Amino acid sequence: MGHHMRHLIQEQALRAPSAVGFSQGAPFALALAANGLVNAVAVVSGSDELAHPRFTYALTPQVRDIVNAVAADPEAAAASFAGFGSADALWDLIITTSPEADRTVYTDPVFQSAFRRAMDEAFSQGPAGYARDTVLAMGIWPFDPA
């Protein structure tokens, strides 16, 4: 990712770029900062490094199973995520597993419309990117978040 982002920043002659990482996008925004590619990062409702040993006993069994599957066989995990991945399937997962306070935000008409448009765009070329990003986010991050 770093190589592609470095190229994009150079090609677009971006000066002092910033990044926002929402939810599972947090590790990607933080990785840009860790590699010196952005000047500032905002993390909005960011996910944690769930594969870090400090979380081993805090994870729900379902999440722990996902983290363990990624650690054991990243390619098989990516194939599994790709089989599941679509904007509609992800929306259904979010709505059925989120706490009520989060569902209130997600189902706000303005937020829901913008979020669904973003998800449609994210899956417009298929689920492979979602699957790869999920494997990367659920594994050990290759940088120090500090």
Side-chain angles (χ1 to χ4, degrees):
M1 176 177 97
H3 170 72
H4 297 295
M5 291 304 298
R6 188 178 317 278
H7 180 75
L8 174 69
I9 290 166
Q10 290 171 348
E11 283 294 311
Q12 296 297 311
L14 300 178
R15 297 197 172 135
S18 300
V20 176
F22 171 71
S23 188
Q24 193 170 295
F28 301 98
L30 292 170
L32 291 171
N35 286 288
L37 296 175
V38 296
N39 288 348
V41 169
V43 173
V44 180
S45 191
S47 63
D48 287 311
E49 184 181 10
L50 299 178
H52 192 283
R54 72 177 165 251
F55 289 112
T56 300
Y57 299 104
L59 302 177
T60 64
Q62 180 186 17
V63 174
R64 188 178 304 118
D65 289 347
I66 293 170
V67 168
N68 290 340
V70 167
D73 189 343
E75 278 107 38
S80 172
F81 298 145
F84 156 82
S86 73
D88 289 336
L90 188 56
W91 175 257
D92 291 343
L93 177 70
I94 290 168
I95 292 303
T96 58
T97 62
S98 293
E100 184 178 343
D102 291 353
R103 278 195 312 272
T104 299
V105 173
Y106 280 112
T107 57
D108 171 82
V110 173
F111 184 89
Q112 182 175 345
S113 175
F115 187 81
R116 292 300 304 256
R117 272 195 320 277
M119 295 310 301
D120 288 343
E121 179 64 26
F123 285 96
S124 66
Q125 296 183 37
Y130 162 78
R132 186 193 67 244
D133 287 354
T134 301
V135 165
L136 292 172
M138 292 292 183
I140 295 289
W141 297 351
F143 61 90
D144 178 3

